[in-house]
Amino acid sequence: MAQRAVWLISHEPGTPLCGTVRFSRRYPTVEKRAKVFNGTSYVPIPEDGPFLKALLFELRLLDDDKDFVASRDSCSHINKTSVYGLLVGGGELWPVVAFLKNNMIYACVPLVEQTLSPRPPLISISGISQSFELLFGIQDFLYLGQKNDTELNTKLNQLPDLLLQACPFGTLLDANLQNSLDNINFASVTHPQKQPAWKVGTYKGKPQVSISITEKVKSMQYDKQDIADTWQVVGAVTCKCDLEGIMPNVTISLSLPTNGSPLQDILVHPCVTSLDSAILTSSSIDAVDDSAFSGPYKFPFTPPLESFNLCYYTSQVPVPPILGFYQMKEEEIQVKITVNLKLHESVKNNFEFCEARIPFYNRGPITHVECKVSFGQLEVFREKSLLIWIIGQKFPKSMEISLSGTVTFGAKSHEKQPFDEICIGGTAYLKLHFRILDYTLTGCYADQHSVQVFASGKPKISTHRKLISSDYYIWNSKAPAPVTYGSLLL
């Protein structure tokens, strides 16, 4: 496992190039190995300029990049892995691992120890996981405790020396760059006990463990017979363990109620020391049946000092939390709208907030609204051509609410009114935004009494849960053609 090259690129919208290469490192010895392994499918690492342009194009980060490009934007090329192929020098450079965070693009090219034609499956390329580990390590180093641009520039200047220790000859030895910095600055300092390489210090103070479960639910609802509604739940368990000692051990158990939806596609933090094989093999590709593993999901680990994501998961819940119907009919400069929303009986009826946003694209400003809502209140943003239905913190006892009426528009002004390439004519949507505290759609929870801590002192243990909407769309049932989730990514 080795890396051919690494880049850090600052994303700068509005500038001629839309970005600047802040750091790059190539490994010539690894490049020679790539040429041998890849054979006729070998594509050399380009210079920084062509690489910058190709990467920003692939990530759709160029200011003038508004046209549809089939090789990049079609539904058959939807990217869910942060692994890309870049057209450079007459060939395609693949695989390129890249992601954008805090206006900084982190990218590297792992060595593939075989031919690239045909493309091998990603899971067979061990260098990809090492690429993510290296890039996440660089990200943590740059922004952990970073307060201003001066500190960021200082850390960028330290990267060449740090990678000599952490990733010599392209082979990652230690993703914790802060540890490499300590080795450089304090080589003469010895610790009374053996300190693990990935841990930069120890905690002193009152022991406490905080566990937070956040689930995000996505949904695309059409109310059409020829296309099925879709929804998905993605969860993340975040932990912060303030425990004394060099190597404290913690075990957290995630549990489900009797009718809870099993967790699938579980990815864990590297600090997890062991896992039940049933946890690792539970996949959303497989059909859910009574034999599916439903917990408890135990995660023994040695926590780092900072807050971290213990695990991620998905789940196939039987129904979306809010079922919706949206109908919009055009009549010259008016549209008639009808909205029905129903909260599922199994969902906790206690929101931190809940609202429905109804945008009207490619039209003039709203001049008149005559709408009736059965519950909540309606706000009108005329210049933005937007209605916001504030539902509040609870649905009524019937669990059903409705909105109906007409919206009239003035003359269209291309400079001020919102424009959208998808929402033309009758193609329109309603988007729900909501958050429910102390609740998860799967029922997943962390029982604080089941948390095991092997460290000095009795820690205070706190647990939190919340459900958040994310890309929760209800499409106009009268639209001429259904809009799929993939088309929104074009």
Side-chain angles (χ1 to χ4, degrees):
M1 296 187 295
Q3 306 301 313
R4 295 169 60 186
V6 183
W7 291 268
L8 295 183
I9 299 170
S10 61
H11 179 219
E12 301 168 355
T15 62
L17 297 178
C18 296
T20 303
V21 177
R22 302 293 298 274
F23 172 82
S24 66
R25 165 64 60 85
R26 293 165 176 76
Y27 295 96
T29 56
V30 182
E31 194 65 13
K32 289 183 179 179
R33 292 164 60 194
K35 192 171 184 179
V36 174
F37 281 123
N38 301 159
T40 56
S41 59
Y42 168 77
V43 175
I45 297 293
E47 296 298 322
D48 288 348
F51 180 85
L52 171 65
K53 185 176 181 180
L55 182 61
L56 293 179
F57 172 79
E58 186 66 27
L59 297 179
R60 290 189 68 100
L61 295 177
L62 294 172
D63 289 342
D64 58 351
D65 187 12
K66 298 179 181 179
D67 296 330
F68 175 82
V69 180
S71 62
R72 177 194 64 188
D73 301 330
S74 68
C75 292
S76 61
H77 291 83
I78 295 175
N79 191 297
K80 299 180 180 179
T81 61
S82 297
V83 179
Y84 303 90
L86 305 185
L87 296 177
V88 291
E92 184 180 36
L93 182 65
W94 183 90
V96 179
V97 177
F99 59 87
L100 174 66
K101 188 73 172 180
N102 295 324
N103 290 322
M104 185 75 77
I105 302 172
Y106 301 80
C108 64
V109 180
L111 172 67
V112 181
E113 298 181 347
Q114 62 188 92
T115 182
L116 300 177
S117 181
R119 283 187 180 179
L122 294 181
I123 197 171
S124 68
I125 305 174
S126 57
I128 288 181
S129 60
Q130 189 187 78
S131 296
F132 280 109
E133 187 177 5
L134 172 60
L135 295 179
F136 285 139
I138 295 175
Q139 176 191 322
D140 290 343
F141 170 73
L142 291 182
Y143 289 98
L144 185 62
Q146 184 256 329
K147 299 178 180 178
N148 51 51
D149 290 341
T150 302
E151 291 186 16
L152 177 61
N153 292 332
T154 300
K155 291 186 176 184
L156 286 171
N157 292 333
Q158 292 172 337
L159 273 182
D161 291 335
L162 295 181
L163 288 183
L164 285 176
Q165 286 204 5
C167 193
F169 301 102
T171 301
L172 183 63
L173 300 181
D174 186 357
N176 191 327
L177 301 190
Q178 184 63 45
N179 184 62
S180 298
L181 181 63
D182 292 342
N183 289 340
I184 293 173
N185 294 338
F186 309 106
S188 61
V189 176
T190 59
H191 296 279
Q193 298 181 17
K194 186 177 180 180
Q195 184 89 353
W198 51 266
K199 200 166 187 179
V200 298
T202 58
Y203 172 79
K204 295 293 183 182
K206 185 179 294 185
Q208 52 189 356
V209 175
S210 176
I211 306 164
S212 177
I213 303 175
T214 302
E215 288 187 352
K216 294 184 178 181
V217 56
K218 301 181 180 182
S219 182
M220 299 287 281
Q221 300 179 32
Y222 310 97
D223 193 48
K224 289 180 176 290
Q225 294 182 351
D226 57 342
I227 182 169
D229 295 345
T230 61
W231 57 90
Q232 180 187 37
V233 173
V234 178
V237 181
T238 304
C239 297
K240 180 69 166 70
C241 300
D242 295 328
L243 302 170
E244 293 188 346
I246 292 178
M247 292 286 284
N249 292 309
V250 180
T251 298
I252 290 177
S253 296
L254 302 181
S255 302
L256 297 173
T258 304
N259 60 344
S261 302
L263 309 186
Q264 301 170 320
D265 305 325
I266 297 176
L267 299 174
V268 299
H269 191 275
C271 71
V272 175
T273 54
S274 64
L275 275 180
D276 189 314
S277 60
I279 296 178
L280 293 174
T281 56
S282 179
S283 171
S284 58
I285 298 176
D286 304 324
V288 177
D289 53 34
D290 294 337
S291 63
F293 181 71
S294 58
Y297 305 84
K298 292 188 176 182
F299 300 91
F301 60 94
T302 300
L305 293 176
E306 67 277 4
S307 176
F308 68 101
N309 290 318
L310 177 65
C311 69
Y312 298 93
Y313 62 84
T314 66
S315 184
Q316 301 180 46
V317 295
V319 292
I322 298 177
L323 294 169
F325 167 81
Y326 176 39
Q327 188 176 91
M328 185 187 79
K329 295 181 180 179
E330 290 187 282
E331 296 180 358
E332 296 180 353
I333 62 172
Q334 273 189 346
V335 295
K336 287 187 176 181
I337 60 173
T338 302
V339 181
N340 296 319
L341 299 177
K342 181 178 181 181
L343 180 67
H344 193 268
E345 59 186 9
S346 64
V347 177
K348 180 180 179 181
N349 189 13
N350 190 1
F351 295 80
E352 183 179 17
F353 66 86
C354 182
E355 64 182 34
R357 299 194 173 195
I358 310 174
F360 299 97
Y361 292 103
N362 312 315
R363 304 175 189 275
I366 295 175
T367 58
H368 182 70
V369 175
E370 188 174 337
C371 289
K372 180 181 179 181
V373 294
S374 65
F375 192 80
Q377 63 186 43
L378 188 66
E379 292 188 356
V380 181
F381 294 83
R382 298 180 183 276
E383 291 300 322
K384 294 182 179 179
S385 300
L386 173 69
L387 301 182
I388 298 182
W389 182 10
I390 300 176
I391 300 166
Q393 296 180 323
K394 283 183 178 291
F395 273 62
K397 290 184 178 180
S398 65
M399 299 295 189
E400 298 185 28
I401 57 177
S402 62
L403 178 155
S404 61
T406 60
V407 181
T408 306
F409 302 92
K412 185 188 299 185
S413 171
H414 294 288
E415 296 180 358
K416 294 183 178 180
Q417 270 60 62
F419 171 78
D420 187 272
E421 295 180 353
I422 294 176
C423 296
I424 298 174
T427 304
Y429 65 82
L430 171 154
K431 187 175 182 181
L432 282 172
H433 298 261
F434 58 83
R435 180 184 296 150
I436 307 177
L437 301 181
D438 195 27
Y439 176 79
T440 53
L441 201 56
T442 62
C444 179
Y445 66 95
D447 184 359
Q448 60 183 1
H449 299 293
S450 67
V451 178
Q452 297 176 316
V453 179
F454 303 94
S456 59
K458 185 177 180 180
K460 176 185 177 182
I461 298 174
S462 59
T463 61
H464 310 276
R465 299 191 298 169
K466 60 184 174 183
L467 174 68
I468 303 174
S469 64
S470 173
D471 297 334
Y472 205 103
Y473 294 94
I474 299 170
W475 288 89
N476 178 20
S477 62
K478 290 294 184 180
V483 179
T484 62
Y485 181 74
S487 65
L488 289 180
L489 303 178
L490 299 180

